[in-house]
Amino acid sequence: MKFNLFIIIIVCFAVNLSAQQSTCSLTLAGRITDIQHEEPLGFATIFIAESHTATQSDENGKFEINNLCQGNYTLIISHIGCAQDTFTVNLFQNQFNEYRLDHKDENLETITIKEQVNNYKSTLTTEYIDGKALETLSGKTLGAALKEITGVNSIQTGNSISKPVIHGLHSNRVLIVNNGVRQEGQQWGNEHGPEIDPFIANKFTVIKGAAGVKYGSDAMGGVILVDAADMPDSVGATGSIQLVGLSNTLGGAASAMLQSNLKKHPALSWRLQGTVKREGSVKTPNYYLVNTAYAESNYSATASYKKQDFTTEIYYSYFHTKTGIFAASHIGNLTDLENAFVSETPLITGDFSYAIARPYQLISHHLIKSKTFYHSDKLGHFTFTAAYQNNIRSEYDSHVSLDDSIAALNLPSLYFEIGTITSNLDWEHHKWHNFTGTFGVSGMNQQNITQYSTFIPNFKNYAGGVYGMEKYQYANWIFEAGLRYDYKWMKIFMYDDGNFVTPEHQYQNVSWNLGTTWFDKKPTSVNFNFSSAWRAPAVSELYSDGLHHGAAALEYGDPNLKTERSLQTILGVERQTDKLFLEAGIYYNYMRNFIYLQPSLPPELTIRGAFPVFYYQQTDAAIYGLDASVHYQLNIPLLLTGKLSLLRARDLINDKWVVMMPADKVSGKVAYQFGDNGKWQNMYADVAVEHVFKQTRTYADEDYVDAPDAYTLTNISIGSDLLFNSTKLTWSIEADNLFNVAYRDYLNRFRYFADDMGRNITLRIKIPFTI
């Protein structure tokens, strides 16, 4: 009753406000920089052709245009020393874009516009989450936030651990680049989420498809770029506070950021950022999930020194989390485990609690990075990045030792510590006869230590690669080609039948990429990409041997697994008119020696309890599908959005479906943009419905539980900016699973034992400030 009253109040409030307001309240903001030096271009003129209005960038190259309606706009940008040029913007929400002009002080010859570098220009399909869209996702894990992008799913272990899945591929096949550094931890496990604080990001970029040429051999499924905002370049201290409250777990998050550019030394700037999260037991529509509380604390610091042709930056971040593992997933005997599979409720139930008891995970991740940029008028841009990461993962079993002296030590059942050194040198040459390109080398040294278990052996590996990519533009065509060579050497330290052995593995191969994009001035664009990438088997896939506590499963590797090879084709089309924005893409990925985790019946009984069993296997597979999204402007304030994801994965050797693949999904959203009314600005409200189909391409005799039924979830949200003097506070309220539907998702490992989260209402507040 209280919840219904809350909804009625929100709707009445929104309707009442709508009646008072005008309809055009969007903001288009941006920054204009010099392509040679990446210096801001102050006092540039930005002219909007449709409204015949103009504004100027400030001394930092930034501008902001308010009170715009939704629609397409043509920006004509000019600056002394640069040729006038034109950009097209499709505005359906507040946006911040970056524009780069070819500015040559010494030579005022005719200069052409380069590109909107805010976008990764590639023949691969690339999507972004930034600005207001990113703020509405604050408080979610990285995997959950990226599910907003078509073709991206998440594989979950409960509700606090999720990792992104791109076109059916995840873990070691999806590379995450955190602040310019390849994220390296224990990413092989399904329940090992990325150790990244999403609050640190200013933008998420998802590149779908094999992007191994630029990013390395593992990027077979795609790449996720997590980028922080640019360092401040104006004098004065600024910052923000973000607060998130969650009704389901009676928890929330608080994140703060403070940054400044030094007045006496304007080349120096710094930033501090920190986040704390705390959540209690997850509640499904009918019961609590015992021991699913969660605690996290993260912080980071950045210092930057920037001159005309030289920039250097040092960055450090620390991520720490303690996560309870659902108690009912650890079963004592085979009979109870079989009962748990068929029961509608978990065998262990209880009340709400913030306590985190055994079993649980304890994870720490350190990252320190140094990045240096140098511009040469003759040669181009050089970027050198060196980083060190230390990842420590401790997994605690539900049982403690029967020996009191050992139990008092509270030692984990699994302990992994992996240290990784990475380095990259990239050279981006100047445009030459319509050619642009990048060349680079990279190296990695990694060592892993395991204690208290032999589930994953100790190992060390060395890897290195060299690559080159070139693009050529002719009229309305862009052609792209790239080639990369990678080498990897790995040595294992383990006991085999009581004998200490040190098997070695060496892998080397090439990745390549061919693609083209055609576009016109509407713009309509069509992109085609044909690429190949490869991946060496991970140590977990080769040598896993026993109980994986976090996943509540017995997992076994195969040391004879071979290198994976992907041959992938992607065809995408994008069409934009005054009212319609359409994006669609089809893909076909042939995976030779595809490695997957196959359930093996029956479950096994160990001294730690009874658990389902999984084996790493290999086959040739074909993964193909369709992603599509459409935005239709019904009228100025009303925007309709629809998304569709279809995926199929076929085992070509055994002529059957590959299991553990995402189910088909379709969603729709109606968004209403209110006009400004005094202190209330940029108010919006939307209703979204998502339907996930039942995964029917499974086999009853190859899994412990049938795939769950289809489900439909309804979400609503409302939010706005609120002016207090010179401060623009941003707030939003979102209700997920509005009707408290009981469901289980096929990609949630704990679907064997319990339902997913029920209704959850999230309140988000962001308060920017200037000191």
Side-chain angles (χ1 to χ4, degrees):
M1 184 63 187
K2 290 182 179 178
F3 177 74
N4 292 335
L5 179 61
F6 167 78
I7 296 300
I8 292 172
I9 291 173
I10 290 295
V11 172
C12 291
F13 174 71
V15 171
N16 179 57
L17 196 61
S18 169
Q20 302 175 42
Q21 297 173 333
S22 58
T23 55
C24 299
S25 59
L26 296 182
T27 297
L28 174 62
R31 187 175 74 153
I32 304 168
T33 56
D34 171 276
I35 194 170
Q36 278 81 25
H37 306 90
E38 296 194 351
E39 291 289 333
L41 295 179
F43 310 107
T45 300
I46 303 98
F47 178 75
I48 302 180
E50 286 77 8
S51 62
H52 297 280
T53 58
T55 188
Q56 266 194 341
S57 61
D58 62 17
E59 59 183 0
N60 300 310
K62 295 181 179 179
F63 70 91
E64 182 175 300
I65 306 172
N66 298 309
N67 302 318
L68 294 175
C69 303
Q70 293 180 338
N72 292 331
Y73 292 94
T74 305
L75 301 186
I76 302 173
I77 302 177
S78 58
H79 185 266
I80 297 175
C82 299
Q84 176 179 290
D85 215 300
T86 303
F87 297 89
T88 301
V89 176
N90 176 244
L91 191 69
F92 57 89
Q93 61 183 6
N94 295 331
Q95 289 186 18
F96 182 94
N97 298 322
E98 295 209 15
Y99 305 90
R100 290 172 70 181
L101 303 183
D102 197 347
H103 183 269
K104 294 184 177 179
D105 298 327
E106 300 172 354
N107 186 357
L108 299 183
E109 63 185 6
T110 300
I111 300 168
T112 57
I113 286 296
K114 301 306 176 187
E115 57 187 352
Q116 229 177 298
V117 295
N118 196 34
N119 295 334
Y120 174 84
K121 292 292 185 181
S122 169
T123 53
L124 289 170
T125 303
T126 305
E127 297 193 32
Y128 312 86
I129 300 178
D130 57 5
K132 289 285 186 183
L134 184 60
E135 291 178 4
T136 61
L137 299 173
S138 58
K140 294 187 175 183
T141 63
L142 179 63
L146 295 178
K147 287 172 66 177
E148 297 294 319
I149 293 178
T150 312
V152 180
N153 293 274
S154 72
I155 187 165
Q156 296 177 242
T157 303
N159 291 282
S160 55
I161 302 173
S162 67
K163 58 197 313 182
V165 181
I166 301 176
H167 290 169
L169 302 179
H170 57 85
S171 301
N172 287 320
R173 301 187 189 94
V174 173
L175 187 62
I176 299 177
V177 180
N178 178 19
N179 254 314
V181 178
R182 172 189 176 113
Q183 180 78 6
E184 286 293 333
Q186 304 287 351
Q187 62 263 39
W188 45 269
N190 289 344
E191 92 292 6
H192 300 176
E195 298 89 355
I196 296 174
D197 179 7
F199 279 102
I200 208 169
N202 184 56
K203 181 174 69 174
F204 294 140
T205 303
V206 175
I207 304 169
K208 302 176 185 175
V213 172
K214 180 173 176 58
Y215 295 98
S217 61
D218 290 346
M220 305 177 78
V223 177
I224 296 169
L225 307 179
V226 181
D227 292 319
D230 293 338
M231 294 298 288
D233 50 14
S234 56
V235 175
T238 60
S240 64
I241 296 173
Q242 295 188 70
L243 303 173
V244 179
L246 307 167
S247 69
N248 185 284
T249 56
L250 301 181
S255 183
M257 182 275 291
L258 181 64
Q259 62 182 9
S260 177
N261 182 270
L262 301 185
K263 185 176 182 179
K264 293 184 178 179
H265 304 283
L268 291 173
S269 57
W270 57 268
R271 175 184 296 147
L272 298 175
Q273 184 269 343
T275 301
V276 292
K277 294 181 182 178
R278 192 76 168 92
E279 296 184 42
S281 303
V282 174
K283 186 180 182 182
T284 72
N286 300 307
Y287 47 81
Y288 285 102
L289 302 181
V290 177
N291 198 43
T292 51
Y294 171 79
E296 182 179 307
S297 58
N298 319 306
Y299 55 82
S300 66
T302 311
S304 173
Y305 177 82
K306 184 175 184 179
K307 298 296 287 184
Q308 184 174 6
D309 292 325
F310 174 81
T311 301
T312 187
E313 177 182 297
I314 295 177
Y315 171 80
Y316 170 75
S317 68
Y318 174 70
F319 178 97
H320 179 79
T321 182
K322 183 177 182 181
T323 305
I325 302 299
F326 179 41
S329 65
H330 283 237
I331 307 296
N333 58 66
L334 290 173
T335 301
D336 286 347
L337 183 60
E338 295 291 350
N339 290 335
F341 288 154
V342 298
S343 174
E344 293 186 357
T345 59
L347 296 190
I348 301 174
T349 58
D351 297 325
F352 174 84
S353 175
Y354 287 109
I356 302 175
R358 286 171 172 264
Y360 65 89
Q361 298 178 352
L362 197 61
I363 302 158
S364 298
H365 188 91
H366 300 265
L367 165 63
I368 183 166
K369 177 195 79 171
S370 170
K371 178 181 178 181
T372 300
F373 168 86
Y374 174 72
H375 166 77
S376 166
D377 288 336
K378 292 183 178 179
L379 300 178
H381 306 306
F382 295 86
T383 304
F384 177 71
T385 305
Y388 173 72
Q389 297 173 74
N390 180 255
N391 184 282
I392 301 173
R393 165 176 287 270
S394 301
E395 299 186 5
Y396 293 79
D397 191 11
S398 57
H399 304 287
V400 297
S401 174
L402 297 177
D403 187 322
D404 291 341
S405 60
I406 296 177
L409 298 175
N410 193 34
L411 298 175
S413 304
L414 284 176
Y415 175 91
F416 306 114
E417 181 174 358
I418 189 167
T420 306
I421 299 173
T422 54
S423 59
N424 298 77
L425 175 63
D426 298 302
W427 167 49
E428 179 183 352
H429 68 73
H430 288 311
K431 188 172 184 178
W432 180 76
H433 294 292
N434 287 339
F435 280 97
T436 58
T438 305
F439 296 81
V441 295
S442 64
M444 182 173 74
N445 175 14
Q446 192 170 65
Q447 299 192 39
N448 182 75
I449 297 173
T450 303
Q451 295 186 49
Y452 314 118
S453 171
T454 57
F455 175 59
I456 301 291
N458 295 338
F459 68 87
K460 62 181 179 181
N461 78 62
Y462 298 92
V466 55
Y467 78 95
M469 300 175 63
E470 282 290 329
K471 283 195 292 188
Y472 177 77
Q473 181 169 350
Y474 177 76
N476 293 345
W477 290 87
I478 295 175
F479 302 93
E480 181 182 67
L483 182 67
R484 181 186 181 99
Y485 167 79
D486 281 287
Y487 172 82
K488 183 174 185 178
W489 174 85
M490 185 164 55
K491 187 172 185 178
I492 314 298
F493 304 89
M494 58 183 289
Y495 284 93
D496 184 18
D497 292 331
N499 300 314
F500 185 70
V501 296
T502 58
E504 296 183 11
H505 299 264
Q506 293 187 62
Y507 307 94
Q508 57 181 326
N509 218 317
V510 296
S511 305
W512 51 264
N513 169 61
L514 296 171
T516 185
T517 298
W518 174 87
F519 58 91
D520 66 13
K521 295 180 180 179
K522 292 296 181 183
T524 297
S525 66
V526 179
N527 62 285
F528 173 79
N529 185 277
F530 182 42
S531 56
S532 178
W534 68 281
R535 181 181 73 90
V539 172
S540 59
E541 295 163 336
L542 295 169
Y543 294 103
S544 290
D545 184 21
L547 177 58
H548 188 182
H549 291 271
L554 295 164
E555 296 175 357
Y556 297 98
D558 180 353
N560 298 312
L561 293 177
K562 302 175 183 176
T563 298
E564 280 187 341
R565 166 61 74 179
S566 166
L567 284 171
Q568 189 166 161
T569 301
I570 295 179
L571 176 64
V573 61
E574 187 177 297
R575 173 69 178 172
Q576 181 175 303
T577 67
D578 292 341
K579 289 192 172 184
L580 179 70
F581 176 78
L582 171 67
E583 183 181 46
I586 57 175
Y587 57 93
Y588 183 90
N589 187 6
Y590 170 71
M591 299 279 293
R592 191 174 67 216
N593 300 326
F594 175 67
I595 300 172
Y596 63 104
L597 201 55
Q598 173 69 42
S600 176
L601 280 61
E604 289 184 7
L605 180 64
T606 73
I607 60 173
R608 298 288 183 178
F611 298 95
V613 183
F614 297 82
Y615 283 88
Y616 284 102
Q617 297 185 0
Q618 200 160 42
T619 187
D620 293 345
I623 303 173
Y624 51 97
L626 164 70
D627 300 330
S629 65
V630 58
H631 302 261
Y632 184 73
Q633 192 77 56
L634 193 61
N635 51 49
I636 291 300
L638 197 60
L639 179 68
L640 308 179
T641 301
K643 297 180 180 179
L644 172 68
S645 291
L646 305 176
L647 183 145
R648 302 289 182 269
R650 196 71 183 166
D651 182 336
L652 300 177
I653 292 181
N654 300 299
D655 192 24
K656 64 178 186 177
W657 299 110
V658 177
V659 299
M660 301 297 179
M661 286 289 170
D664 296 338
K665 182 169 64 176
V666 61
S667 64
K669 182 165 76 173
V670 180
Y672 190 88
Q673 182 78 41
F674 301 93
D676 294 344
N677 181 21
K679 294 183 177 180
W680 300 86
Q681 296 187 353
N682 303 318
M683 172 161 277
Y684 68 91
D686 59 55
V687 178
V689 177
E690 179 183 82
H691 181 80
V692 178
F693 294 87
K694 181 175 182 176
Q695 180 54 282
T696 57
R697 288 161 287 281
T698 62
Y699 304 93
D701 59 347
E702 294 187 6
D703 202 351
Y704 295 96
V705 176
D706 290 342
D709 293 333
Y711 63 87
T712 302
L713 303 181
T714 303
N715 307 321
I716 64 170
S717 64
I718 185 170
S720 81
D721 296 332
L722 187 57
L723 294 179
F724 286 104
N725 297 322
S726 59
T727 300
K728 182 183 286 187
L729 179 151
T730 302
W731 68 273
S732 67
I733 298 176
E734 177 183 8
D736 293 323
N737 194 2
L738 179 67
F739 299 112
N740 209 25
V741 174
Y743 72 100
R744 299 188 184 193
D745 189 272
Y746 180 65
L747 291 186
N748 189 342
R749 179 66 74 88
F750 287 163
R751 66 180 171 86
Y752 291 151
F753 310 103
D755 293 340
D756 272 77
M757 179 184 281
R759 181 189 300 121
N760 180 46
I761 298 174
T762 304
L763 170 64
R764 299 181 175 91
I765 298 174
K766 181 178 182 180
I767 308 169
F769 58 83
T770 301
I771 299 175

